[in-house]
């Protein structure tokens, strides 16, 4: 089974502080994904992510969306 999993930028970064990853959340999500793959080894996961406090800073600086 193919799953597309998008982790939102607000989930994995602190949007109130520029260029700040939420490592506790990223580690917890990685553990959950690992558990899911152990329970269902036939899963194919395509992982996407938002840009959060990384992309929004650059977009704001250069007036892009």
């Amino acid at each position: 089974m193919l799953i597309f999993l998008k982790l939102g930028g607000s989930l994995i970064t602190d949007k109130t502080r520029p260029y700040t990853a939420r490592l506790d959340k990223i580690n917890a999500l990685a553990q959950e994904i690992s558990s899911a793959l152990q329970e269902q080894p036939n899963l194919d996961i395509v992982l996407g992510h938002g840009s959060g406090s990384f992309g929004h800073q650059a977009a704001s600086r250069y007036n892009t969306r």
Side-chain angles (χ1 to χ4, degrees):
M1 173 185 287
L2 179 63
I3 303 288
F4 176 70
L5 177 61
K6 182 187 183 274
L7 305 178
S10 295
L11 175 65
I12 61 173
T13 71
D14 180 348
K15 287 177 64 176
T16 66
R17 296 177 19 198
Y19 308 107
T20 305
R22 295 174 69 189
L23 297 177
D24 58 328
K25 296 291 184 190
I26 294 169
N27 286 327
L29 291 162
Q31 289 177 1
E32 289 185 36
I33 292 167
S34 177
S35 293
L37 289 170
Q38 288 175 7
E39 289 178 24
Q40 297 185 37
N42 62 333
L43 285 179
D44 291 317
I45 297 177
V46 176
L47 184 61
H49 59 82
S51 59
S53 69
F54 291 83
H56 290 277
Q57 293 300 316
S60 177
R61 181 177 181 185
Y62 297 105
N63 295 321
T64 63
R65 293 181 181 239

